[in-house]
Amino acid sequence: PTGVPHFYSPALQDRTLYFLRIESEMHRALEQQEFELWFQPKFRLSDLTMAGAEALIRWRKPSGEMVSPGVFIPIAENAGLIQRIDNWVIEAACAAMARWRKSGLDCPRIAVNITPQDLAADGFVPWLTQLISEYGLTPSCIGIEMTETMLMDVDQNIQDSLKALRDYGIRVSIDDFGTGYSSLSYLQQLPADILKIDKSFIDHVPNNGGGQLITNAIIALGEQFGLELVAEGIETREQLEYLRKRGVQTGQGYLVSRPLPEPAFIEAMKNGLSISQASEAPHEMKK
Ligand code: C2E
Ligand code: MG
Ligand code: MG
Ligand code: MG
């Protein structure tokens, strides 16, 4: 039957070799510090003031080539490298936050993406809480983002770690919400503070033959469960207006800012955010 993978095929072998190459290059990347942390502003939909930032990893190879996290993070998860990478990201995020505070810049919160493997690791919770206190940060200014599927992991260890971090004051977001097939009964005991509505739903807002229905349903769910809502992937003024009218408080997306390297992010903290020219559709441009 179709769809059943062969044990050997040139395509599969190519993929395997590709993964192995990326894997060995990631070891080098960790040692040679080829990873960078970029920051995408999150903003209040009401007035575009900065609500925080999401820390997003970037990999710049010595050749200058940039590799997308969408490519290497899944490979790192399979290769058992994700914990080292995420620990690097978390420490870099805390260090950046502390630096900004010291120079009087205000970023209300920074969120990092983590995976269940991080939470399952021995000593992760004390490591993170100590890191936060060593950098002199308030726990509530640190956030962790996990995808819905990952949060459904039944492993008691993982649930306990998450609970401990929330009790400590770290803010937990469910990332890419709506894509992970949660059962509604599961939602009732969501171990989270924030729902991030996935970009794939925002893409259908405001009006595309009812495409916004899922977004509306997620907004209603979030309100029912007392969760803060963050819309990701806002690319147009129409999306911004639509979400604002429906009471979504916070957003993120190219309309206001792409992920930025640290110097550009610092400029954004100093100068404030606005709708960026580059993001506007041609017909909206001033003549
Ligand atoms: P995510 O956590 O859902 O991050 C949002 C992704 O959407 C980012 O892609 C961001 O650049 C992109 N994005 C934001 N606004 C817009 C928009 O308006 N339009 C479009 N087209 N895209 C937008 P990125 O940086 O490539 O990250 C991809 C994924 O890689 C992340 O998805 C996250 O799951 C993972 N990732 C990134 N950094 C880390 C990390 O440090 N650790 C772990 N474990 N995963 C990470
Ligand atoms: Mg995220
Ligand atoms: Mg997301
Ligand atoms: Mg997403």
Side-chain angles (χ1 to χ4, degrees):
T2 53
V4 175
H6 297 281
F7 287 104
Y8 176 85
S9 75
L12 189 61
Q13 196 197 25
D14 282 354
R15 265 167 66 88
T16 307
L17 286 176
Y18 176 73
F19 285 1
L20 283 172
R21 201 183 69 230
I22 300 257
E23 185 183 332
S24 85
E25 287 179 347
M26 276 190 290
H27 282 281
R28 184 201 62 208
L30 278 163
E31 267 135 43
Q32 313 284 317
Q33 312 200 14
E34 294 168 24
F35 292 120
E36 299 173 12
L37 207 52
W38 287 33
F39 306 92
Q40 186 177 34
K42 295 183 189 180
F43 47 88
R44 298 184 186 89
L45 300 193
S46 56
D47 57 6
L48 302 189
T49 53
M50 202 182 286
E54 177 171 6
L56 292 159
I57 194 169
R58 295 291 178 264
W59 179 9
R60 191 190 302 270
K61 288 202 200 175
S63 64
E65 183 198 346
M66 300 287 284
V67 189
S68 161
V71 171
F72 70 83
I73 291 290
I75 300 176
E77 283 172 352
N78 284 318
L81 272 168
I82 193 65
Q83 292 168 46
R84 283 179 64 196
I85 292 178
D86 282 345
N87 287 2
W88 177 84
V89 167
I90 292 166
E91 174 139 28
C94 289
M97 195 74 163
R99 255 192 323 272
W100 301 335
R101 285 279 149 89
K102 220 172 153 189
S103 48
L105 291 164
D106 182 39
C107 176
R109 181 177 303 145
I110 193 161
V112 294
N113 293 284
I114 67 163
T115 76
Q117 291 180 46
D118 298 320
L119 292 173
D122 262 349
F124 180 72
V125 171
W127 173 76
L128 179 50
T129 54
Q130 197 183 325
L131 194 71
I132 290 170
S133 90
E134 272 170 18
Y135 278 102
L137 302 170
T138 320
S140 64
C141 73
I142 301 295
I144 54 181
E145 299 192 358
M146 273 180 81
T147 64
E148 186 185 356
T149 357
M150 291 171 170
L151 277 166
M152 289 167 74
D153 204 308
V154 285
D155 190 323
Q156 194 56 43
N157 257 349
I158 293 176
Q159 297 292 338
D160 291 348
S161 296
L162 199 59
K163 185 175 183 305
L165 292 176
R166 281 189 78 209
D167 289 347
Y168 182 67
I170 289 171
R171 306 269 294 174
V172 175
S173 296
I174 303 180
D175 209 345
D176 303 333
F177 185 75
T179 61
Y181 315 104
S182 282
S183 73
L184 288 176
S185 62
Y186 172 80
L187 282 178
Q188 209 153 11
Q189 26 163 34
L190 269 184
D193 309 288
I194 299 161
L195 277 192
K196 291 189 78 176
I197 311 170
D198 192 59
K199 176 178 181 299
S200 60
F201 304 119
I202 304 302
D203 285 344
H204 295 287
V205 163
N207 209 334
N208 221 328
Q212 76 276 35
L213 288 177
I214 297 180
T215 296
N216 295 348
I218 294 174
I219 294 170
L221 270 176
E223 282 167 355
Q224 284 296 309
F225 290 108
L227 298 163
E228 183 187 331
L229 288 156
V230 178
E232 72 175 25
I234 300 178
E235 294 185 344
T236 69
R237 285 177 191 269
E238 289 75 16
Q239 290 168 337
L240 178 68
E241 268 317 303
Y242 184 92
L243 295 161
R244 183 192 275 161
K245 278 200 197 112
R246 276 156 191 80
V248 176
Q249 306 94 328
T250 313
Q252 184 178 354
Y254 292 179
L255 178 68
V256 169
S257 177
R258 291 178 179 251
L260 303 169
E262 188 172 350
F265 182 71
I266 287 174
E267 284 310 299
M269 279 189 283
K270 286 181 179 160
N271 302 333
L273 298 167
S274 58
I275 290 176
S276 59
Q277 299 291 90
S279 68
E280 297 200 45
H283 70 269
E284 291 172 333
M285 297 273 215
K286 298 229 167 59
K287 301 269 148 56

Coordinates of all heavy atoms in Angstrom, one line a residue, residues 91-141:
E91 N 19.4 30.8 29.3 CA 20.4 31.6 30.0 C 20.6 32.9 29.2 O 20.7 34.0 29.8 CB 21.7 30.8 30.2 CG 22.8 31.8 30.8 CD 23.6 31.2 31.9 OE1 23.8 29.9 31.9 OE2 24.1 31.9 32.7
A92 N 20.7 32.8 27.9 CA 20.9 34.0 27.0 C 19.7 35.0 27.2 O 19.9 36.2 27.2 CB 21.1 33.6 25.6
A93 N 18.5 34.4 27.3 CA 17.4 35.3 27.5 C 17.4 36.0 28.8 O 17.1 37.2 28.9 CB 16.1 34.5 27.3
C94 N 17.8 35.3 29.9 CA 17.8 35.9 31.2 C 18.9 36.9 31.2 O 18.8 38.0 31.8 CB 18.1 34.8 32.3 SG 16.7 33.7 32.6
A95 N 20.1 36.6 30.6 CA 21.2 37.6 30.6 C 20.8 38.8 29.8 O 21.1 40.0 30.3 CB 22.4 36.9 29.9
A96 N 20.1 38.7 28.7 CA 19.7 39.8 28.0 C 18.7 40.7 28.8 O 18.8 41.9 28.8 CB 19.0 39.4 26.7
M97 N 17.8 40.1 29.4 CA 16.8 40.8 30.2 C 17.5 41.6 31.3 O 17.2 42.8 31.6 CB 15.8 39.7 30.8 CG 14.6 40.3 31.4 SD 13.5 40.8 30.1 CE 12.0 40.9 31.0
A98 N 18.5 40.9 32.0 CA 19.2 41.6 33.1 C 20.0 42.8 32.5 O 20.0 43.9 33.1 CB 20.1 40.6 33.8
R99 N 20.6 42.6 31.3 CA 21.3 43.7 30.7 C 20.4 44.9 30.4 O 20.7 46.1 30.7 CB 21.9 43.3 29.4 CG 23.4 43.0 29.4 CD 23.9 42.8 27.9 NE 23.1 42.1 27.0 CZ 23.1 40.8 26.8 NH1 23.8 40.0 27.5 NH2 22.3 40.2 25.8
W100 N 19.3 44.6 29.9 CA 18.3 45.7 29.5 C 17.9 46.4 30.7 O 17.8 47.7 30.7 CB 17.1 45.1 28.7 CG 17.5 44.4 27.5 CD1 18.6 44.6 26.7 CD2 16.7 43.3 26.8 NE1 18.6 43.7 25.6 CE2 17.5 42.9 25.7 CE3 15.5 42.7 27.1 CZ2 17.0 41.9 24.8 CZ3 15.0 41.7 26.2 CH2 15.8 41.3 25.1
R101 N 17.5 45.7 31.8 CA 17.1 46.3 33.0 C 18.1 47.3 33.5 O 17.8 48.4 33.9 CB 16.8 45.2 34.1 CG 15.6 44.4 33.9 CD 14.4 45.2 34.5 NE 13.2 44.9 33.7 CZ 12.3 43.9 34.0 NH1 12.6 43.1 35.1 NH2 11.3 43.6 33.3
K102 N 19.4 46.8 33.5 CA 20.5 47.6 34.0 C 20.6 48.9 33.3 O 21.0 49.9 33.9 CB 21.8 46.8 33.9 CG 22.7 46.9 35.1 CD 23.8 45.9 34.9 CE 25.1 46.4 35.7 NZ 26.2 45.5 35.4
S103 N 20.3 48.9 32.0 CA 20.4 50.1 31.2 C 19.1 50.9 31.1 O 18.9 51.7 30.3 CB 21.1 49.9 29.8 OG 20.4 48.8 29.2
G104 N 18.2 50.5 32.0 CA 16.9 51.3 32.1 C 15.9 51.0 31.0 O 15.0 51.8 30.8
L105 N 16.1 49.9 30.2 CA 15.2 49.6 29.1 C 14.1 48.7 29.7 O 14.3 47.8 30.5 CB 15.9 49.0 28.0 CG 16.9 49.9 27.2 CD1 17.8 49.0 26.4 CD2 16.1 50.9 26.4
D106 N 12.9 48.9 29.2 CA 11.8 48.2 29.7 C 11.2 47.2 28.7 O 10.6 47.5 27.7 CB 10.6 49.1 30.1 CG 9.5 48.3 30.8 OD1 9.8 47.4 31.5 OD2 8.3 48.7 30.5
C107 N 11.5 45.9 29.0 CA 10.8 44.8 28.3 C 10.1 44.0 29.4 O 10.7 43.4 30.2 CB 11.8 43.9 27.6 SG 11.0 42.5 26.8
P108 N 8.7 44.2 29.4 CA 8.0 43.6 30.5 C 8.1 42.1 30.7 O 8.1 41.6 31.9 CB 6.5 43.9 30.2 CG 6.6 45.1 29.2 CD 7.8 44.9 28.5
R109 N 8.3 41.4 29.6 CA 8.5 39.9 29.8 C 9.2 39.3 28.6 O 9.1 39.8 27.5 CB 7.1 39.3 29.9 CG 7.1 37.8 30.2 CD 5.8 37.2 30.3 NE 5.1 37.8 31.4 CZ 3.7 38.0 31.5 NH1 3.0 37.6 30.4 NH2 3.2 38.6 32.5
I110 N 9.9 38.2 28.9 CA 10.5 37.5 27.8 C 10.1 36.1 27.9 O 10.1 35.5 29.0 CB 12.1 37.7 27.8 CG1 12.7 37.2 26.5 CG2 12.7 37.0 29.0 CD1 14.1 37.8 26.4
A111 N 9.7 35.5 26.8 CA 9.3 34.1 26.7 C 10.2 33.3 25.9 O 10.6 33.7 24.8 CB 7.8 34.0 26.2
V112 N 10.5 32.1 26.4 CA 11.3 31.1 25.6 C 10.5 29.9 25.2 O 9.5 29.6 25.9 CB 12.5 30.7 26.4 CG1 13.5 31.8 26.7 CG2 12.1 30.0 27.8
N113 N 10.8 29.3 24.2 CA 10.1 28.0 23.7 C 10.9 26.8 24.4 O 12.1 26.7 24.3 CB 10.2 27.9 22.2 CG 9.4 29.0 21.6 OD1 8.1 29.0 21.5 ND2 10.0 30.0 21.0
I114 N 10.1 26.0 25.0 CA 10.7 24.8 25.6 C 10.0 23.5 25.1 O 8.9 23.6 24.6 CB 10.9 24.8 27.1 CG1 9.5 24.8 27.8 CG2 11.6 26.1 27.6 CD1 9.6 24.4 29.2
T115 N 10.6 22.4 25.4 CA 10.0 21.1 25.0 C 9.9 20.3 26.3 O 10.5 20.5 27.3 CB 10.9 20.4 24.0 OG1 12.0 19.8 24.7 CG2 11.4 21.3 22.9
P116 N 9.0 19.2 26.2 CA 8.9 18.4 27.4 C 10.2 17.8 27.9 O 10.4 17.5 29.1 CB 7.9 17.3 26.9 CG 7.3 17.8 25.7 CD 8.2 18.8 25.1
Q117 N 11.1 17.5 27.0 CA 12.4 17.0 27.4 C 13.1 17.9 28.4 O 13.8 17.4 29.3 CB 13.3 16.7 26.2 CG 12.9 15.6 25.3 CD 13.8 15.5 24.1 OE1 15.0 15.4 24.3 NE2 13.3 15.4 22.9
D118 N 12.9 19.2 28.2 CA 13.5 20.1 29.2 C 12.9 19.9 30.6 O 13.6 19.8 31.6 CB 13.3 21.6 28.7 CG 13.9 21.9 27.4 OD1 15.0 21.5 27.1 OD2 13.2 22.6 26.6
L119 N 11.6 19.8 30.6 CA 10.9 19.7 31.9 C 11.2 18.4 32.5 O 11.1 18.2 33.8 CB 9.4 19.9 31.7 CG 8.9 21.3 31.3 CD1 7.4 21.2 31.0 CD2 9.2 22.3 32.4
A120 N 11.4 17.3 31.7 CA 11.7 16.0 32.3 C 13.1 15.8 32.8 O 13.3 14.9 33.6 CB 11.4 15.0 31.2
A121 N 14.0 16.7 32.4 CA 15.4 16.6 32.9 C 15.5 16.8 34.4 O 14.9 17.7 34.9 CB 16.2 17.6 32.1
D122 N 16.3 16.0 35.0 CA 16.6 16.1 36.4 C 17.2 17.5 36.7 O 18.1 17.9 36.0 CB 17.7 15.1 36.8 CG 17.1 13.8 37.4 OD1 15.8 13.9 37.7 OD2 17.8 12.8 37.6
G123 N 16.7 18.1 37.7 CA 17.3 19.4 38.1 C 16.9 20.6 37.3 O 17.4 21.7 37.5
F124 N 16.0 20.5 36.3 CA 15.7 21.6 35.5 C 15.0 22.7 36.3 O 15.4 23.9 36.2 CB 14.7 21.2 34.3 CG 14.3 22.3 33.4 CD1 15.3 22.9 32.6 CD2 13.1 22.9 33.5 CE1 14.9 24.0 31.7 CE2 12.7 23.9 32.6 CZ 13.6 24.5 31.8
V125 N 14.1 22.4 37.2 CA 13.3 23.4 37.9 C 14.3 24.2 38.8 O 14.3 25.4 38.8 CB 12.1 22.8 38.7 CG1 11.5 23.8 39.6 CG2 11.1 22.2 37.7
P126 N 15.1 23.5 39.7 CA 16.0 24.3 40.5 C 17.0 25.1 39.7 O 17.3 26.2 40.1 CB 16.7 23.2 41.4 CG 16.3 21.9 40.9 CD 15.1 22.1 40.1
W127 N 17.5 24.5 38.6 CA 18.4 25.3 37.7 C 17.8 26.6 37.3 O 18.4 27.6 37.4 CB 18.8 24.4 36.5 CG 19.6 25.1 35.5 CD1 21.0 25.5 35.7 CD2 19.2 25.7 34.3 NE1 21.4 26.2 34.6 CE2 20.3 26.3 33.7 CE3 18.0 25.7 33.6 CZ2 20.3 27.0 32.4 CZ3 17.9 26.3 32.4 CH2 19.0 27.0 31.8
L128 N 16.5 26.5 36.8 CA 15.9 27.7 36.2 C 15.6 28.7 37.3 O 15.8 29.9 37.1 CB 14.6 27.3 35.4 CG 13.8 28.4 34.8 CD1 14.7 29.3 34.0 CD2 12.7 27.8 33.9
T129 N 15.0 28.2 38.4 CA 14.7 29.2 39.4 C 15.9 29.9 40.0 O 15.9 31.1 40.3 CB 13.9 28.5 40.6 OG1 14.6 27.4 41.1 CG2 12.5 28.0 40.1
Q130 N 17.0 29.1 40.1 CA 18.2 29.7 40.6 C 18.8 30.7 39.6 O 19.3 31.8 40.0 CB 19.3 28.7 40.9 CG 20.4 29.2 41.8 CD 21.5 28.2 42.0 OE1 21.2 27.0 42.1 NE2 22.7 28.6 42.1
L131 N 18.7 30.4 38.3 CA 19.2 31.3 37.3 C 18.4 32.6 37.3 O 19.0 33.7 37.3 CB 18.9 30.6 35.9 CG 19.6 31.2 34.7 CD1 21.1 30.9 34.7 CD2 19.0 30.6 33.4
I132 N 17.1 32.5 37.5 CA 16.3 33.7 37.5 C 16.7 34.6 38.7 O 16.8 35.8 38.6 CB 14.8 33.3 37.6 CG1 14.4 32.8 36.2 CG2 13.9 34.5 38.0 CD1 13.0 32.1 36.2
S133 N 17.0 34.0 39.9 CA 17.3 34.8 41.0 C 18.8 35.3 40.9 O 19.0 36.4 41.3 CB 17.1 34.0 42.3 OG 18.2 33.3 42.7
E134 N 19.7 34.5 40.3 CA 21.0 35.0 40.1 C 21.1 36.2 39.2 O 21.9 37.1 39.4 CB 21.9 33.9 39.5 CG 22.6 33.0 40.5 CD 23.3 31.8 39.8 OE1 23.5 31.8 38.6 OE2 23.5 30.8 40.5
Y135 N 20.2 36.3 38.2 CA 20.2 37.4 37.3 C 19.3 38.6 37.9 O 19.1 39.6 37.3 CB 19.7 37.0 35.9 CG 20.8 36.4 35.1 CD1 20.9 35.1 34.9 CD2 21.7 37.3 34.5 CE1 21.9 34.5 34.1 CE2 22.8 36.7 33.7 CZ 22.8 35.3 33.5 OH 23.8 34.8 32.8
G136 N 18.8 38.3 39.1 CA 18.0 39.4 39.8 C 16.7 39.7 39.1 O 16.2 40.8 39.1
L137 N 16.1 38.7 38.4 CA 14.9 38.9 37.7 C 13.7 38.5 38.5 O 13.7 37.6 39.4 CB 14.9 38.1 36.4 CG 16.1 38.4 35.5 CD1 16.1 37.4 34.3 CD2 16.0 39.8 34.9
T138 N 12.5 39.0 38.2 CA 11.3 38.6 38.8 C 10.7 37.5 38.0 O 10.7 37.5 36.8 CB 10.2 39.8 38.7 OG1 10.9 41.0 39.0 CG2 9.1 39.6 39.7
P139 N 10.3 36.4 38.7 CA 9.8 35.2 37.9 C 8.7 35.5 36.9 O 8.7 35.0 35.8 CB 9.3 34.3 39.0 CG 10.1 34.7 40.2 CD 10.3 36.1 40.1
S140 N 7.8 36.5 37.3 CA 6.7 36.8 36.4 C 7.2 37.5 35.1 O 6.4 37.6 34.2 CB 5.7 37.6 37.1 OG 6.2 38.9 37.4
C141 N 8.4 37.9 35.0 CA 8.9 38.5 33.7 C 9.5 37.4 32.8 O 10.0 37.8 31.8 CB 9.8 39.7 34.0 SG 11.4 39.3 34.5

